Amino acid sequence: MADAKVIPFDDDRSRGSRGAGSRRRGGPAESAPVGEGPVGDVQPLPVRGAAAQDPAPGPDESPAPRSAVGDGGDQDGGLERRLAAGLSFLRRRLTGDYEVDDFGYDAELTDQVLMSLLRPVYEKYFRVEVKGVENIPAEGGALIVANHSGTLPLDGLMMQVAVHDHHPADRHLRLLAADLVFVLPVVNELARKLGHTLACAEDAERLLAQGELVGVMPEGFKGIGKPFGERYKLQRFGRGGFVSTALRQGAPIVPCSIVGAEEIYPMIGNSKTLARLLGFPYFPLTPTFPWLGPLGAVPLPTKWTIQFGEPIPTDGYAPEAAEDPVLMFNLTDQVREQIQHTLYKLLVQRRSVFF
């Protein structure tokens, strides 16, 4: 594999023009590769809500008897509706009768399939506890900035599920990912379907301008590839490119602190030779990997906490503020210090790594 090149988040170079209008996927012969062909505005996400419930019976009413399974009652009807919905979903996928936006985001596949696959890991394996999700704006563009750790970037996916499942306005998080993500087979397609895009200023600004919720982890490989002895110590946040992007769009910055990811793969060593051969930024050595083979790649079932802090507004600054290096440094340091302080606070509060 060729050496992976990480494009800096604050790289303002042009990434090619994209047109307007979302595209509908046709059959296999009509499908355009991600990032090619006519493109456009991000489609609004489908609203997820709890199923409507029957009103409680009044004082003079007796509750209706529940239908037994197999007697043609509501349960059979619900099963038939779910079966019909599933067949309709398969028909749309096979015929290409579904839409993706110009970044490759597939809202239907994400809501009905990909989130359903991630949710058991989120709820049962890592048992994620979410705090402060109400601090994320209900509408409009916003930038969520989080710490990055865990050897593999599972923290980004868990943060995405947290927003998807717990935000009262049913918002969807669009993550900015490193260049390496989009050169790996299978991973590239899944990342695009989930709404991820390359961590560059141009894509981030386009998403914010369209009112999307954008997630970035400025530590990058320095965060997820750091030794276990440096856990929960934030690495450098780059040159403040994410602050410049937020200032240009007047989007609030929401700090996010994630506890629990550091211990899923305790990195006790780094094989630089293997990393160079494979084109990876690092090759982790943990107490179980590669010594136990594929079994060693199973993460430890740690208990996670994700806390979203109060948003830092940026709409009060003048347009030229995005070019002020002193202001960018100060805001970057403010976000970093808030995340670090919250990490220490959560670490003091937790009872153990696994419970």
Side-chain angles (χ1 to χ4, degrees):
M1 176 185 297
D3 287 346
K5 180 180 68 173
V6 178
I7 296 181
F9 177 75
D10 52 359
D11 187 358
D12 292 328
R13 67 187 182 184
S14 173
R15 291 169 40 77
S17 59
R18 293 186 174 102
S22 64
R23 63 180 184 272
R24 180 175 295 276
R25 302 284 293 186
E30 300 174 3
S31 300
V34 173
E36 299 181 8
V39 294
D41 296 337
V42 177
Q43 295 297 311
L45 300 178
V47 176
R48 306 181 316 280
Q53 298 181 352
D54 293 334
D60 297 328
E61 297 176 331
S62 58
R66 294 186 180 180
S67 300
V69 177
D71 65 355
D74 291 341
Q75 293 189 17
D76 282 351
L79 178 61
E80 290 177 0
R81 286 193 296 270
R82 290 194 295 271
L83 182 58
L87 292 174
S88 178
F89 172 80
L90 289 176
R91 179 190 60 79
R92 289 193 298 273
R93 307 315 294 187
L94 293 174
T95 60
D97 186 21
Y98 59 92
E99 293 183 354
V100 297
D101 71 4
D102 49 329
F103 293 96
Y105 170 53
D106 189 330
E108 182 184 50
L109 185 68
T110 296
D111 286 342
Q112 298 192 25
V113 178
L114 300 180
M115 283 296 159
S116 298
L117 295 175
L118 292 172
R119 194 167 290 117
V121 180
Y122 173 92
E123 294 179 347
K124 305 299 183 182
Y125 198 78
F126 293 134
R127 295 147 291 146
V128 181
E129 179 182 359
V130 181
K131 300 180 179 180
V133 71
E134 67 278 0
N135 289 321
I136 300 174
E139 58 184 14
L143 188 67
I144 296 181
V145 182
N147 60 303
H148 206 12
S149 62
T151 305
L152 292 181
L154 298 181
D155 50 358
L157 296 176
M158 296 301 102
M159 183 171 65
Q160 192 171 5
V161 178
V163 175
H164 185 277
D165 285 3
H166 295 282
H167 195 275
D170 299 318
R171 303 210 65 180
H172 182 78
L173 182 63
R174 309 291 293 270
L175 289 173
L176 304 178
D179 188 32
L180 178 62
V181 172
F182 301 103
V183 299
L184 296 175
V186 181
V187 174
N188 168 40
E189 284 298 319
L190 290 176
R192 289 291 185 185
K193 297 292 186 183
L194 277 165
H196 304 175
T197 190
L198 192 64
C200 71
E202 184 185 65
D203 280 4
E205 287 186 31
R206 290 184 60 206
L207 287 171
L208 290 173
Q210 294 169 352
E212 294 288 347
L213 195 61
V214 180
V216 61
M217 294 172 161
E219 292 177 280
F221 292 126
K222 300 187 301 294
I224 57 175
K226 65 177 178 288
F228 185 67
E230 298 181 14
R231 60 192 179 279
Y232 298 115
K233 297 178 181 179
L234 293 183
Q235 305 298 300
R236 183 172 173 267
F237 267 25
R239 293 173 290 174
F242 69 91
V243 170
S244 177
T245 299
L247 287 169
R248 289 193 182 98
Q249 296 299 322
I253 300 173
V254 181
C256 176
S257 302
I258 304 174
V259 165
E262 292 276 16
E263 295 90 358
I264 60 173
Y265 295 111
M267 186 169 165
I268 58 176
N270 177 19
S271 177
K272 296 182 179 180
T273 301
L274 283 175
R276 284 195 299 269
L277 290 174
L278 297 173
F280 295 158
Y282 57 88
F283 188 89
L285 302 176
T286 75
T288 58
F289 182 83
W291 330 114
L292 299 182
L295 185 62
V298 177
L300 297 178
T302 58
K303 175 74 170 63
W304 287 35
T305 301
I306 299 178
Q307 179 162 333
F308 299 96
E310 295 185 4
I312 300 172
T314 64
D315 54 355
Y317 296 96
E320 59 270 17
E323 308 301 328
D324 184 348
V326 176
L327 176 62
M328 283 194 298
F329 174 81
N330 289 337
L331 285 176
T332 301
D333 191 57
Q334 179 183 352
V335 174
R336 187 178 182 278
E337 286 300 316
Q338 188 168 336
I339 294 173
Q340 184 70 81
H341 177 74
T342 305
L343 286 175
Y344 289 148
K345 181 179 177 180
L346 293 174
L347 287 171
V348 170
Q349 292 174 349
R350 76 172 177 175
R351 294 176 300 170
S352 77
V353 174
F354 299 101
F355 304 102

